[in-house]
Amino acid sequence: FLLTSRNQLIRENAMCLKCFTPEESLDYLNKMLPEISQNHDSLNKLRETLHDYPLALAQASSYITALPSLSIEDYLKLYQQKRRVLWEEEEKLTTQKDKEELLQEDYRRTISSTFTLLLEHVIETSPHAYELLKLSSFLGNQDIPKRLLMSWMVDHKKLSEFNFHEAASTLIKHSIFEKNEGEDKEEKYNMHALLHEFIRDNLTNDTKNVYLTEAISLLSSFLPESSYRIWEILSDDRILEFHLDSLLTLAENYGFQTESFLDLKIKYLHFIHFFKFDYVNAVKKAEELEKNYQKIKQCSPLTIGKFLGISGNLATTRWGYNKAISLSEEAVE
């Protein structure tokens, strides 16, 4: 007998199955979509977008097969723009065609129903675990430091360390968190990118704003006002920088423009411009911030001054020295 389970406590004769390798994904898609198999670039883009997740590949290939007018490019566009609706439509089609064995590999559950059942079980088992999961969905999905999550639960939410360990252990037991200890010996967790996206997609806008605010507050607590100290911290902790960049990108995509977000984004912009010398990225982020200058003017004088100082520095190549001097003088004022 072969028993499949997400329970990590099963020890005897257990074999851990992870996602497909890129090669396995392409082999599977070539078999499921033979009429498209010659278009290697399209198949590769599909498997990259679905992060080599077997169930997602089965679901996508079956949906594309069932709808002859739908190309891979059409599917990818729908996935990027209307992922939640797409999964709902796939669920409907799978239910309608179940008796016709639409899913050739005997996948009777879709991504949506599988993840929904998993999250429902987590909520029943440990409400704190689900809270931790919602916060994690606004960080990067790889190398989430244990210390970051514990700080949020203990220092920010005023829960106990016992609550944290119970919550984190629940996610590990259900194979939602995969422990990852690198050369630095720090315990970190990985989440699959599709589940990471699914959790956010199923939150209301108000709930998204709550957890964006929580995540911004958490990362801000690790970054002091001093630009030099921020440089010391981020230069020494690239994992923290990775999660900071991931969070700010998500917040920008959701149109989140609170004072705390703008303050954190300007701190990071200051770091990448003056300490990383990443001028291309700095210009891009500065242009994003310029669209919200009226809101920036409501921030603290230090935050406004930092932004104008960066803008003045960048202006030397964008608008000329007169503009650069004007902005720099305004920053000093």
Side-chain angles (χ1 to χ4, degrees), residues 103-164:
L103 299 180
Q104 299 175 31
E105 297 297 322
D106 200 32
Y107 282 122
R108 291 293 179 256
R109 281 207 181 101
T110 61
I111 286 288
S112 182
S113 61
T114 299
F115 286 166
T116 298
L117 286 171
L118 175 61
L119 295 179
E120 286 175 352
H121 188 60
V122 167
I123 293 168
E124 290 173 5
T125 306
S126 168
H128 290 319
Y130 186 50
E131 294 298 305
L132 199 60
L133 205 50
K134 286 187 282 189
L135 177 84
S136 301
S137 73
F138 289 95
L139 304 173
N141 72 301
Q142 298 291 302
D143 294 326
I144 307 172
K146 174 181 175 180
R147 61 184 164 88
L148 211 61
L149 299 181
M150 184 181 288
S151 174
W152 179 67
M153 289 198 75
V154 176
D155 301 327
H156 291 252
K157 304 303 289 182
K158 305 305 179 185
L159 297 169
S160 71
E161 289 191 27
F162 295 103
N163 293 137
F164 167 76

Side-chain angles (χ1 to χ4, degrees), residues 104-331:
Q104 299 175 31
E105 297 297 322
D106 200 32
Y107 282 122
R108 291 293 179 256
R109 281 207 181 101
T110 61
I111 286 288
S112 182
S113 61
T114 299
F115 286 166
T116 298
L117 286 171
L118 175 61
L119 295 179
E120 286 175 352
H121 188 60
V122 167
I123 293 168
E124 290 173 5
T125 306
S126 168
H128 290 319
Y130 186 50
E131 294 298 305
L132 199 60
L133 205 50
K134 286 187 282 189
L135 177 84
S136 301
S137 73
F138 289 95
L139 304 173
N141 72 301
Q142 298 291 302
D143 294 326
I144 307 172
K146 174 181 175 180
R147 61 184 164 88
L148 211 61
L149 299 181
M150 184 181 288
S151 174
W152 179 67
M153 289 198 75
V154 176
D155 301 327
H156 291 252
K157 304 303 289 182
K158 305 305 179 185
L159 297 169
S160 71
E161 289 191 27
F162 295 103
N163 293 137
F164 167 76
H165 289 298
E166 179 268 333
S169 297
T170 297
L171 298 177
I172 293 169
K173 290 173 186 175
H174 285 79
S175 303
I176 295 172
F177 274 179
E178 178 186 342
K179 292 174 68 173
N180 174 27
E181 189 175 288
E183 295 179 359
D184 56 5
K185 303 301 181 183
E186 179 183 17
E187 186 170 313
K188 298 181 282 288
Y189 307 120
N190 295 340
M191 284 176 64
H192 194 277
L194 283 187
L195 180 57
H196 194 245
E197 294 167 352
F198 181 83
I199 294 165
R200 292 196 310 276
D201 285 350
N202 284 274
L203 299 177
T204 65
N205 288 334
D206 286 345
T207 305
K208 286 174 185 172
N209 289 341
V210 167
Y211 283 91
L212 278 168
T213 301
E214 291 282 346
I216 287 167
S217 175
L218 173 64
L219 293 192
S220 294
S221 69
F222 283 81
L223 299 174
E225 286 298 332
S226 166
S227 298
Y228 182 74
R229 283 289 295 128
I230 291 175
W231 168 71
E232 285 186 319
I233 291 166
L234 293 182
S235 296
D236 190 51
D237 192 345
R238 293 306 171 89
I239 295 296
L240 182 63
E241 186 193 350
F242 163 67
H243 290 290
L244 174 60
D245 192 34
S246 299
L247 169 62
L248 293 175
T249 299
L250 278 172
E252 189 72 41
N253 291 342
Y254 285 123
F256 192 75
Q257 298 295 343
T258 64
E259 182 178 331
S260 59
F261 163 71
L262 294 170
D263 182 74
L264 187 58
K265 189 164 186 178
I266 289 168
K267 281 183 179 179
Y268 186 47
L269 172 58
H270 200 270
F271 169 73
I272 63 175
H273 177 64
F274 288 109
F275 294 102
K276 286 188 75 174
F277 312 112
D278 184 356
Y279 302 123
V280 173
N281 200 13
V283 168
K284 178 184 174 183
K285 292 185 182 300
E287 288 174 346
E288 291 171 354
L289 283 163
E290 283 162 6
K291 297 173 186 176
N292 297 286
Y293 185 55
Q294 291 305 314
K295 290 186 177 180
I296 291 174
K297 289 198 292 187
Q298 299 170 18
C299 295
S300 70
L302 180 59
T303 297
I304 300 169
K306 279 186 177 180
F307 177 67
L308 290 171
I310 298 165
S311 298
N313 196 280
L314 292 172
T316 56
T317 55
R318 298 168 72 200
W319 299 309
Y321 286 103
N322 288 338
K323 181 67 172 177
I325 292 169
S326 173
L327 287 168
S328 298
E329 288 174 346
E330 191 179 349

Side-chain angles (χ1 to χ4, degrees), residues 89-100 102:
E89 290 299 315
E90 288 175 329
E91 182 120 26
K92 290 178 190 175
L93 188 63
T94 303
T95 302
Q96 294 166 2
K97 299 292 185 179
D98 192 39
K99 293 181 181 179
E100 301 174 23
L102 173 66

